[in-house]
Amino acid sequence: TWNLAPQKRDSVVIDAGTLVAAKGDGRLLGSDNWFEGGTAASLDKAADYGRPAQPAAISGTTEREAIASYRSGTFSYRIPVPAGRYDLKLWFAAVPGQGAGGFDVFVNGKRVLKNFSPAATGDGASAVLQSFKVKSGGQVRLDFKAGTRDAQVSLIDLSPRR
C-alpha cells in the first residue's frame, strides 16, 4: 500500500511496468500497483555480459524513465480514489516500426480509445498522451484490451479536477 500525505491521497501517478518507480519531474511517481494481468516490459536494453544498459531515447517527455517502462497485453487497473471528478492522463510509448494494428481502452466500462495505436514521431521512440475527464465512485476502473496488437500503457496520472 502507498502511504501518502493527506493533500496527495486523491492524486495517483503510476509508473506502469515497474517494481520501483522512476524519478518524476518534480512529482511523486508510484510503482505499478492495483493491476491484474499483462506483462511488465521496458524499451531500455538491459545490461548483458559486461555491457552496460542502454537507455532508449524517447522524445516528447521530461520523464523518460517512466515512459520507458510499460505494461502490455490484456490487463486492468482498479485504482482506489475518493469519489469525485478527475483528470486522467494516459501516457504511451510509441516506437517506429511497432506492429500495425491497435487496442482498446475502457474507463469505468466505457470505451475511450478504439483500435488505438500510438504513433511515433521521427526516428526514435516518443511519448504519446491521451487525456480524459472521469468520475470515481471510490474507484476508477481501467481496462486495456488487446486487439490486433497487445495493449500497453507507460504512465497513469489521475488527479482531482480543479
Side-chain angles (χ1 to χ4, degrees):
T1 59
W2 291 1
N3 293 316
L4 300 174
Q7 67 272 23
K8 295 283 186 183
R9 285 191 185 138
D10 54 356
S11 292
V12 174
V13 184
I14 299 172
D15 184 358
T18 62
L19 183 57
V20 177
K23 292 182 180 179
D25 186 26
R27 64 184 178 157
L28 180 65
L29 302 182
S31 57
D32 208 1
N33 204 349
W34 302 304
F35 68 88
E36 183 176 312
T39 304
S42 177
L43 296 178
D44 294 340
K45 197 174 206 178
D48 188 30
Y49 296 104
R51 293 185 182 131
Q54 296 177 342
I58 303 172
S59 64
T61 182
T62 57
E63 296 178 318
R64 192 214 71 80
E65 290 81 12
I67 301 302
S69 62
Y70 60 94
R71 179 158 295 284
S72 69
T74 292
F75 54 94
S76 61
Y77 285 85
R78 301 295 183 257
I79 305 170
V81 289
R85 297 175 185 270
Y86 290 82
D87 289 318
L88 172 64
K89 295 178 182 177
L90 299 176
W91 286 91
F92 304 90
V95 179
Q98 207 165 27
F103 56 89
D104 296 340
V105 179
F106 297 81
V107 177
N108 295 330
K110 179 183 174 191
R111 183 173 29 213
V112 295
L113 293 173
K114 181 178 180 178
N115 201 32
F116 179 65
S117 182
T121 56
D123 293 335
S126 57
V128 175
L129 172 64
Q130 294 287 313
S131 299
F132 310 95
K133 300 203 178 304
V134 301
K135 292 181 183 178
S136 168
Q139 180 184 77
V140 172
R141 298 183 331 269
L142 305 176
D143 295 296
F144 296 81
K145 305 283 186 185
T148 51
R149 63 173 267 207
D150 280 346
Q152 68 166 50
V153 69
S154 291
L155 191 67
I156 300 168
D157 185 344
L158 188 64
S159 58
R161 209 173 315 153
R162 306 277 182 217

